[in-house]
Amino acid sequence: MKRTSIRYRLMVLMICLTTLPVLTVTWIAMNNTRGSVEKEIIDANRSRMLSADQYLDELIRQMDVLFYSLQVNQPLIEGLNAIDNQSGSGQFRTQKYIQETLTKAFYANSKKIDELALYTHQSQKIYSVNYANSGLIYSLDIEKGNWNRMLQAPINMYFKQADSGIYAFHSMNRFADQELLGGLSVRMNKEVWKEVSNILKSEDDSSVFLVNDEGEQLSGSTLEPGLYDIADILNHDGILNKELEIMKTDSHFIFIKRVDDGELTLIKALPITTIAESANNTVRAGIITGLLFALASILLSIMVSLRITRPIVSLARTMRMTPIQQFELTSVRSQDEIGLLERGYNSMMQRMKELVENEYQKEIEVKNAQLMALQAQINPHFLNNTLNLIGGMALVKGAPEIYKITKVIGDLLRYSISSGHEAAALDEELKHIRNYLFIQEQRFSGRCTITIDYDGADLGIQLPRFTLQPLIENAFEHGLQPKEGSWKVQIRVKAIRKRMVILIQDNGIGLDRTRLLMLRSELKDGMPIKVDRLDPEKDQPRMRKGIGLQNVNARLKLHFGESAALRIFSQSGNGTLIALKLPLPKKEDVHE
């Protein structure tokens, strides 16, 4: 019974350890899913509103082009003004010209409009063109009806609803005194509004509204039961003058987007229950998935617990039957699997006692020493991979600047830990310098200008690693940072005869004559450089940070011999120039 109880307790423990995390994660995921689904649906509808706005904006632009092309047609306008004073053949030719002009304009835009009409205020007549006829003329009193807004003031474009569809109107006024000369109207093709509805109506129970600049609902904008709150929003003063806005009422999400200059306003109403239902579907799927994983965890726990306890019992039985006197190190009190394991462990320790005290103990000490040495190190490759991971995550999240900076830092780290020779090719050293300067440019954004003049020619020269970086660090720390205003750093690489010259120039505070001569003397004599530029506030030398000029000079002479040279030129207030002259390798050395 005791063996059965310990096995049962272990099984229950493993079930709890495996199912509780699954249930916890499922619960958290369900709560997060609701907000995620709502945000996803709102973002999708925002994109649809912008697409519909772009479609209608293009439509209004095409109508503008149509209206103004007719309004600036001088023969057409002159014919309209003169037709009432003409008779006979002259009047017939004028009417024919008006009809032909309107017909051409109509068929050029027939995909968007079903009818084109031209109104002359002087004669109060309408010239109309549609698919049924190409020259209908009739009288019209515009004081009543949709044309009457032209009598109030000049207006570029407005939309009105009629029994036969949606019309767009445009007034034509005399330039000098803005007197009304006439107007133009087009009846919009029903396919236009169907296309807008197709773009916006992504959910079956959503409602789409099209409103003119007077707040009147146009075709297809009928209120459905339960949308009284939307009616209140449509009637609210000033709402139609706002840009893209998303509002939330007790029952709906309202998306409002003004088109162009406000001639039209798009409104979409999405019931909150629709979003909740979408989230509930995902939540139900998450619950089912979580339960399935919990069931799988329970079965797996039972299998694992059996796989653990059975080998322990078998191993303890084998150890107990070994014909060697037992050496009990612990007191065994229980009769379950753990008790069997303890007795078997004591038997094993008796047999291996002397080995542990001699050879095995030494091996453990060696392993411990190796482990301590490994723990004292940081795996730079792991850090490099971590930087690449951060850069990849930044790129996915739409932050390319962070990706580029982490990539540059990774390259800097890779260059510093690269194994092999202590020397590096000129291209590699310059690539490392570019990465370092990129970090400095980001640090002093908008203030520092970097120029590297190098044609990329393969000179076959090898430099000690980190030859140039200390010199550029010195330029920033002691030359540029004390200076106000813009900074400039220029690096030039040239091959002159059998030598390669590297020039590093900055426009920093420079050095006075006394300090320059001191530095040149120290470089010539090989003395350690313990001070750098003078502190302008205390007029005293300040201690140098990092690797100095002497260190770089010594490394170059060690690598190239006495033919290598480092020279420094400077003037107080006019910056500093450092020149490196290095011997180029012979052609046979390059090929080798």
Side-chain angles (χ1 to χ4, degrees):
M1 293 298 293
K2 291 184 178 181
R3 294 184 182 180
T4 303
S5 63
I6 192 65
R7 183 177 298 175
Y8 174 76
R9 291 197 298 270
L10 179 60
M11 188 180 303
V12 172
L13 177 61
M14 294 192 65
I15 290 175
C16 293
L17 292 176
T18 54
T19 56
L20 286 178
V22 173
L23 296 177
T24 302
V25 171
T26 302
W27 177 257
I28 295 174
M30 287 191 304
N31 292 331
N32 293 337
T33 297
R34 297 181 185 273
S36 300
V37 171
E38 179 176 315
K39 182 179 183 301
E40 181 179 350
I41 293 177
I42 290 176
D43 290 342
N45 279 278
R46 180 185 287 111
S47 299
R48 289 179 177 274
M49 289 291 291
L50 294 177
S51 298
D53 169 68
Q54 184 178 5
Y55 178 80
L56 289 177
D57 187 73
E58 177 66 18
L59 173 67
I60 292 175
R61 189 191 66 81
Q62 292 179 9
M63 295 303 101
D64 270 336
V65 172
L66 171 61
F67 290 151
Y68 281 107
S69 65
L70 294 175
Q71 185 172 347
V72 299
N73 189 324
Q74 193 64 29
L76 176 65
I77 301 301
E78 292 176 354
L80 291 173
N81 293 331
I83 191 170
D84 292 333
N85 299 323
Q86 295 175 343
S87 61
S89 61
Q91 188 179 52
F92 176 77
R93 285 193 299 271
T94 301
Q95 289 181 350
K96 183 178 180 181
Y97 176 78
I98 293 173
Q99 293 171 355
E100 290 178 351
T101 303
L102 293 179
T103 301
K104 290 180 180 179
F106 170 75
Y107 281 103
N109 296 271
S110 59
K111 292 184 178 180
K112 301 293 184 182
I113 63 176
D114 291 335
E115 183 181 90
L116 173 62
L118 173 63
Y119 167 75
T120 59
H121 191 56
Q122 180 178 356
S123 61
Q124 294 188 347
K125 290 183 178 180
I126 289 284
Y127 296 84
S128 176
V129 177
N130 54 39
Y131 288 111
N133 61 77
S134 59
L136 183 63
I137 304 174
Y138 57 92
S139 299
L140 177 67
D141 181 8
I142 67 170
E143 291 185 0
K144 298 179 181 180
N146 293 333
W147 292 80
N148 64 351
R149 283 185 63 179
M150 297 183 184
L151 297 174
Q152 301 172 10
I155 186 167
N156 177 48
M157 185 183 299
Y158 67 94
F159 289 83
K160 297 292 287 187
Q161 178 69 47
D163 294 338
S164 56
I166 301 177
Y167 286 80
F169 295 88
H170 169 78
S171 67
M172 297 189 299
N173 301 80
R174 183 182 297 141
F175 179 77
D177 55 6
Q178 298 297 306
E179 181 182 350
L180 180 64
L181 299 177
L184 294 163
S185 75
V186 294
R187 184 177 65 200
M188 309 307 301
N189 193 313
K190 294 182 180 179
E191 295 298 324
V192 172
W193 313 120
K194 186 181 294 185
E195 178 65 21
V196 174
S197 179
N198 291 337
I199 294 174
L200 290 179
K201 200 171 177 62
S202 55
E203 298 84 11
D204 294 336
D205 51 356
S206 62
S207 302
V208 177
F209 303 88
L210 188 63
V211 181
N212 64 13
D213 56 350
E214 294 180 318
E216 299 173 351
Q217 300 175 38
L218 303 179
S219 293
S221 301
T222 56
L223 288 177
E224 300 178 7
L227 296 182
Y228 302 108
D229 50 353
I230 297 177
D232 294 337
I233 291 175
L234 293 176
N235 295 327
H236 192 276
D237 294 336
I239 193 66
L240 297 179
N241 293 324
K242 294 183 178 179
E243 294 294 338
L244 174 62
E245 183 177 354
I246 301 176
M247 304 175 59
K248 184 177 182 181
T249 67
D250 294 337
S251 59
H252 289 81
F253 277 98
I254 311 298
F255 301 84
I256 303 174
K257 182 66 179 70
R258 191 178 69 173
V259 181
D260 196 49
D261 293 329
E263 294 91 345
L264 293 172
T265 299
L266 283 171
I267 302 177
K268 179 176 180 179
L270 180 62
I272 294 178
T273 55
T274 300
I275 299 178
E277 183 62 27
S278 299
N280 289 337
N281 292 334
T282 306
V283 169
R284 284 193 289 268
I287 292 175
I288 295 174
T289 303
L291 292 176
L292 291 176
F293 273 104
L295 180 59
S297 300
I298 293 174
L299 296 176
L300 183 62
S301 299
I302 295 174
M303 295 175 60
V304 171
S305 63
L306 293 176
R307 289 177 63 89
I308 291 175
T309 56
R310 288 176 179 174
I312 291 176
V313 174
S314 177
L315 176 61
R317 185 179 296 111
T318 302
M319 295 169 62
R320 187 177 65 253
M321 295 173 61
T322 303
I324 299 177
Q325 184 180 2
Q326 296 183 359
F327 178 79
E328 295 185 356
L329 300 180
T330 59
S331 177
V332 180
R333 298 176 181 178
S334 61
Q335 299 298 320
D336 54 21
E337 293 89 351
I338 301 300
L340 293 176
L341 182 60
E342 290 174 345
R343 287 192 293 272
Y345 175 78
N346 291 336
S347 176
M348 180 185 66
M349 292 301 297
Q350 177 66 25
R351 296 177 57 191
M352 300 181 62
K353 184 175 181 297
E354 291 188 6
L355 180 62
V356 169
E357 291 177 352
N358 295 302
E359 298 180 358
Y360 190 66
Q361 185 63 34
K362 295 179 181 179
E363 183 179 355
I364 290 178
E365 293 175 355
V366 172
K367 295 295 183 182
N368 287 337
Q370 293 176 351
L371 180 60
M372 293 177 62
L374 290 175
Q375 290 175 343
Q377 299 178 359
I378 297 176
N379 190 338
H381 296 287
F382 172 76
L383 295 178
N384 186 48
N385 293 336
T386 304
L387 286 172
N388 291 334
L389 173 62
I390 295 173
M393 294 174 65
L395 192 61
V396 171
K397 296 296 182 179
E401 297 84 359
I402 297 178
Y403 166 75
K404 190 170 183 180
I405 290 175
T406 55
K407 182 178 184 302
V408 169
I409 295 175
D411 292 341
L412 289 171
L413 180 61
R414 191 181 303 109
Y415 185 81
S416 64
I417 65 175
S418 57
S419 58
H421 300 291
E422 291 297 325
L426 175 61
D427 289 342
E428 295 179 0
E429 182 74 6
L430 288 176
K431 179 179 179 182
H432 173 71
I433 291 303
R434 287 189 180 96
N435 290 332
Y436 171 80
L437 290 175
F438 174 79
I439 298 298
Q440 294 288 46
E441 285 181 309
Q442 300 303 310
R443 179 184 175 191
F444 304 105
S445 178
R447 189 177 180 186
C448 183
T449 302
I450 308 296
T451 304
I452 299 179
D453 184 9
Y454 172 54
D455 57 5
D458 185 10
L459 304 177
I461 191 169
Q462 297 278 327
L463 295 175
R465 290 181 181 272
F466 302 100
T467 296
L468 304 181
Q469 182 176 336
L471 304 179
I472 297 174
E473 286 180 344
N474 192 48
F476 273 94
E477 183 176 0
H478 303 291
L480 295 175
Q481 292 190 26
K483 176 188 174 183
E484 298 181 354
S486 61
W487 302 344
K488 293 182 180 179
V489 176
Q490 185 177 17
I491 302 174
R492 289 173 288 177
V493 180
K494 293 183 179 181
I496 302 177
R497 296 181 182 177
K498 296 182 179 180
R499 288 180 175 268
M500 183 188 72
V501 178
I502 302 177
L503 303 176
I504 301 174
Q505 185 175 6
D506 65 76
N507 66 338
I509 61 175
L511 298 168
D512 57 29
R513 181 69 177 174
T514 302
R515 181 69 185 122
L516 179 63
L517 294 177
M518 183 187 301
L519 288 175
R520 287 177 175 175
S521 176
E522 291 170 338
L523 287 173
K524 181 178 180 181
D525 298 336
M527 296 173 59
I529 300 176
K530 298 181 180 179
V531 296
D532 209 319
R533 306 173 190 239
L534 293 178
D535 191 319
E537 297 181 357
K538 300 180 180 179
D539 196 29
Q540 296 292 332
R542 58 190 182 192
M543 295 305 296
R544 181 175 174 79
K545 299 179 180 179
I547 302 175
L549 299 176
Q550 172 65 21
N551 306 82
V552 175
N553 188 44
R555 292 178 67 207
L556 291 175
K557 290 187 178 297
L558 182 64
H559 185 80
F560 294 99
E562 293 299 324
S563 58
L566 187 153
R567 299 288 183 266
I568 180 170
F569 306 89
S570 183
Q571 186 176 4
S572 179
N574 292 326
T576 302
L577 172 66
I578 296 178
L580 303 179
K581 293 193 296 182
L582 308 174
L584 288 173
K586 298 179 181 180
K587 293 185 178 180
E588 53 269 26
D589 295 336
V590 174
H591 293 307
E592 290 177 0

